[in-house]
């Protein structure tokens, strides 16, 4: 074998550091963090990129990905109608391959008429899945690339040549609040009134802040956000000039063998300033009647969503009111699982469960209508999902929350945040929760909201 190129930190990849298998090469890296930074910057020359990063979150029993970078679309599906039928066909064409992509919150909203059309304007299509040309998978210091020697090392040499720009001082980015605090509180009170009247039980109401004529380095912002949040479902998405920088803590749906799992989040509280305060806040979240009521309603909704394509009697609530700690917040998460019916394609089960109950409410159709008529923006990719199918036929996907949306051509930055409203909701506290969820995002952007 010819001499391998220098990879990182002046070390060489020798023959005993390299394993070639069919269509793959495995390499032991000496500087993992440097590789991550350079590989993501190298990928920016392509129109289609998705990075999945679990941030080593040890409490996730179902994660299969540690860090995977998918680059350049060799084949893709981008339908303009019959979205899930098109996705099902595409997935069946690539059953033994890794494919990944996204779909927006409003992918199923054709039947919901808006009184005033709200425009997302951020360039993401309703659904897009692709078969990547390059796949870089990291587990510890072991890198697997879907290319054989010597092509792998030609790619690595190009990645190695990438320069990591020095961190320039960020100028402050000014955001405009699309829904004022006054209007938000009025909306919460209206939602509570409709709940009292029996229109629905719970509704996830969202707001957005927007910065126009603003430019950012999407990769640098994502890396800062990832450091700030260390979320288990973080992802970086590039679709032409549109970017999603996501630090989501929430799984939408996954498939492992014949088992499907959903893990909705309902219940949020800040981290404490010391160990004692942190423990007290976790206990407060766990015993909050309001948060438990929110959570159990969504659990019931998810159970109903899974029923159509689950084996009879297989739906199980594996964990109710689990309190999980993340870098910036504690969250209440429940886990619902089921066995997928043997005659059911996973895409049909996904379609039946989407949009996820944690970002809509109950009953789902009624709250979706209210959301469409009363939020002053189209959610677009926010409240949608980023996901993948792997060669084993397994599937995983997140809930697109805690995210920055950016259109580099329009120089537009958007941050959207939401929370569940129930009969017991206190409007001021709900507004404070919105601010808490938004904080890590604005910090990563050096952003400030004009109220």
């Amino acid at each position: 074998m010819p001499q391998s190129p220098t990879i990182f930190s002046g070390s060489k990849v020798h023959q005993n550091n390299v394993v070639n298998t069919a269509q793959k090469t495995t390499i032991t890296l000496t500087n993992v963090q440097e590789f991550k930074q350079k590989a993501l910057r190298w990928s920016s020359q392509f129109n289609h990129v998705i990075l999945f990063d679990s941030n080593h979150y040890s409490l996730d029993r179902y994660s299969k990905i540690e860090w995977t970078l998918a680059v350049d679309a060799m084949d893709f599906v981008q339908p303009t109608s019959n979205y899930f039928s098109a996705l099902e066909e595409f997935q069946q064409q690539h059953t033994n391959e890794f494919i990944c992509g996204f779909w927006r919150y409003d992918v199923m909203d054709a039947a919901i008429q808006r009184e005033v059309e709200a425009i997302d304007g951020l360039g993401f299509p309703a659904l897009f899945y692709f078969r990547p040309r390059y796949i870089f998978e990291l587990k510890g210091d072991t890198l697997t690339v879907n290319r054989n020697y010597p092509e792998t090392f030609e790619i690595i040499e190009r990645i190695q040549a990438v320069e990591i720009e020095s961190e320039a001082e960020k100028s402050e980015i000014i955001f405009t609040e699309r829904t004022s605090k006054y209007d938000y509180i009025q909306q919460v009170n209206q939602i509570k009134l409709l709940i009292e009247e029996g229109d629905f039980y719970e509704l996830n109401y969202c707001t957005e802040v927007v910065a126009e004529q603003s430019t950012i380095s999407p990769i640098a912002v994502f890396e800062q956000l990832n450091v700030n949040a260390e979320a288990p479902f973080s992802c970086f998405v590039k679709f032409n000039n549109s970017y999603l920088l996501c630090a989501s803590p929430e799984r939408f749906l996954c498939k492992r063998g014949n088992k499907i799992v959903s893990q909705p989040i309902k219940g949020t509280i800040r981290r404490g300033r010391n160990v004692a305060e942190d423990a007290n806040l976790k206990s407060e979240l766990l015993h909050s009647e309001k948060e438990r009521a929110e959570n159990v309603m969504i659990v019931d909704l998810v159970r109903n969503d899974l029923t159509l394509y689950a084996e009879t009697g297989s739906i199980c609530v594996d964990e109710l009111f689990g309190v999980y700690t993340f870098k910036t917040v504690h969250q209440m998460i429940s886990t619902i699982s089921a066995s997928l019916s043997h005659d059911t394609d996973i895409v049909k089960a996904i379609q039946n469960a989407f949009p996820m109950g944690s970002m809509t409410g109950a009953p789902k159709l009624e709250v979706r209508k209210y959301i469409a008529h009363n939020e002053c923006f189209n959610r677009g990719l926010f409240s949608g999902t980023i996901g993948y199918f792997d060669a084993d036929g397994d599937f995983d996907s997140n809930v697109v929350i805690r995210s920055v949306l950016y259109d580099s051509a329009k120089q537009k930055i958007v941050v959207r945040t939401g929370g569940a409203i129930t009969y017991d909701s206190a409007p001021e506290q709900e507004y404070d929760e919105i601010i808490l969820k938004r904080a890590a995002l604005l910090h990563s952007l050096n952003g400030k909201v004009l109220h």
Side-chain angles (χ1 to χ4, degrees):
M1 179 180 290
Q3 179 65 55
S4 301
T6 300
I7 304 298
F8 297 105
S9 299
S11 64
K12 292 183 180 294
V13 172
H14 296 291
Q15 191 165 342
N16 60 358
N17 296 112
V18 179
V19 177
N20 276 301
T21 59
Q23 301 299 316
K24 288 187 177 182
T25 304
T26 300
I27 305 167
T28 302
L29 297 178
T30 57
N31 191 324
V32 173
Q33 185 59 30
E34 185 178 324
F35 175 81
K36 289 179 178 180
Q37 291 177 297
K38 290 195 170 189
L40 189 55
R41 284 159 177 78
W42 169 82
S43 75
S44 64
Q45 67 188 289
F46 300 96
N47 287 329
H48 306 120
V49 178
I50 297 183
L51 168 64
F52 299 92
D53 192 347
S54 69
N55 284 293
H56 304 280
Y57 191 71
S58 61
L59 299 178
D60 183 1
R61 293 179 293 161
Y62 299 103
S63 179
K64 293 179 72 172
I65 280 182
E66 184 177 305
W67 187 95
T68 294
L69 179 63
V71 182
D72 195 24
M74 291 186 70
D75 190 11
F76 67 89
V77 60
Q78 186 181 332
T80 55
S81 62
N82 301 318
Y83 301 108
F84 286 98
S85 296
L87 176 60
E88 182 177 355
E89 181 179 350
F90 186 72
Q91 191 266 332
Q92 290 174 351
Q93 290 170 357
H94 301 288
T95 52
N96 298 316
E97 299 176 272
F98 180 92
I99 61 172
C100 58
F102 58 82
W103 59 87
R104 302 184 346 173
Y105 166 82
D106 54 354
V107 72
M108 296 172 63
D109 275 4
I112 297 177
Q113 299 298 318
R114 288 180 175 271
E115 293 177 3
V116 177
E117 186 63 26
I119 304 300
D120 173 50
L122 287 165
F124 290 102
L127 185 149
F128 179 80
Y129 255 73
F130 70 103
R131 178 167 63 98
R133 183 180 303 277
Y134 307 107
I135 305 171
F136 303 89
E137 302 171 82
L138 266 170
K139 292 189 181 296
D141 62 356
T142 301
L143 171 68
T144 302
V145 186
N146 65 328
R147 286 291 184 271
N148 287 330
Y149 182 88
E151 185 185 3
T152 297
F153 294 103
E154 293 169 357
I155 296 167
I156 294 292
E157 281 184 320
R158 292 196 289 271
I159 291 174
Q160 181 194 7
V162 171
E163 293 187 6
I164 300 174
E165 67 279 7
S166 57
E167 192 68 31
E169 185 175 345
K170 296 178 185 175
S171 57
E172 187 174 58
I173 297 174
I174 303 299
F175 286 84
T176 301
E177 198 169 36
R178 291 285 304 278
T179 303
S180 69
K181 181 178 180 179
Y182 173 82
D183 289 338
Y184 177 85
I185 288 174
Q186 292 294 106
Q187 275 287 354
V188 171
N189 284 326
Q190 176 65 20
I191 293 165
K192 289 184 64 176
L193 178 62
L194 293 172
I195 291 172
E196 187 175 1
E197 293 175 350
D199 288 27
F200 30 77
Y201 306 103
E202 178 176 341
L203 184 144
N204 188 285
Y205 181 67
C206 297
T207 67
E208 86 171 358
V209 295
V210 180
E212 305 276 4
Q213 299 302 309
S214 298
T215 59
I216 58 173
S217 167
I219 292 174
V221 171
F222 170 74
E223 289 173 340
Q224 184 61 57
L225 177 60
N226 213 21
V227 168
N228 292 348
E230 294 182 356
F233 296 98
S234 294
C235 58
F236 173 94
V237 178
K238 180 186 179 187
F239 181 85
N240 298 328
N241 295 316
S242 301
Y243 296 84
L244 172 76
L245 321 173
C246 178
S248 174
E250 184 172 1
R251 169 178 278 120
F252 162 45
L253 196 68
C254 79
K255 174 182 177 288
R256 297 291 178 259
N258 195 46
K259 183 177 183 178
I260 50 177
V261 179
S262 183
Q263 294 183 294
I265 290 179
K266 272 290 159 271
T268 303
I269 201 165
R270 67 177 177 85
R271 293 295 306 272
R273 288 161 291 192
N274 53 55
V275 173
E277 185 185 31
D278 211 39
N280 288 336
L281 288 167
K282 287 177 67 175
S283 179
E284 180 183 335
L285 176 60
L286 177 62
H287 295 99
S288 166
E289 290 186 12
K290 170 189 171 294
E291 304 290 12
R292 290 165 78 94
E294 285 184 20
N295 197 286
V296 78
M297 276 189 266
I298 298 307
V299 167
D300 285 342
L301 181 61
V302 171
R303 291 170 64 195
N304 183 67
D305 285 345
L306 299 183
T307 298
L308 187 59
Y309 295 111
E311 289 184 356
T312 302
S314 69
I315 297 176
C316 179
V317 179
D318 301 314
E319 183 180 30
L320 188 64
F321 309 143
V323 174
Y324 288 76
T325 297
F326 301 94
K327 195 168 182 180
T328 58
V329 292
H330 302 293
Q331 305 267 201
M332 184 179 285
I333 304 175
S334 292
T335 300
I336 306 98
S337 67
S339 297
L340 191 65
S341 296
H342 293 291
D343 59 348
T344 297
D345 187 279
I346 178 59
V347 177
K348 288 185 171 65
I350 294 167
Q351 181 178 1
N352 199 61
F354 191 80
M356 59 287 295
S358 62
M359 295 307 294
T360 51
K364 190 181 283 187
L365 180 58
E366 291 305 311
V367 298
R368 285 169 58 202
K369 289 177 180 177
Y370 186 90
I371 288 166
H373 294 154
N374 291 279
E375 289 182 353
C376 62
F377 60 95
N378 185 327
R379 291 189 183 183
L381 194 51
F382 176 76
S383 301
T385 185
I386 315 299
Y388 69 86
F389 297 86
D390 67 16
D392 299 324
D394 285 345
F395 169 78
D396 208 350
S397 58
N398 73 355
V399 178
V400 178
I401 52 176
R402 319 289 163 81
S403 300
V404 175
L405 293 151
Y406 174 57
D407 188 315
S408 61
K410 295 179 180 177
Q411 298 183 326
K412 180 179 180 180
I413 311 168
V414 173
V415 174
R416 294 168 178 157
T417 325
I421 310 303
T422 66
Y423 177 77
D424 293 324
S425 291
E428 289 275 356
Q429 292 178 10
E430 295 294 343
Y431 185 79
D432 290 343
E433 185 175 311
I434 291 284
I435 300 301
L436 172 64
K437 291 174 178 176
R438 191 189 290 162
L441 303 169
L442 294 179
H443 178 68
S444 302
L445 290 158
N446 192 27
K448 179 181 178 181
V449 178
L450 292 181
H451 299 283

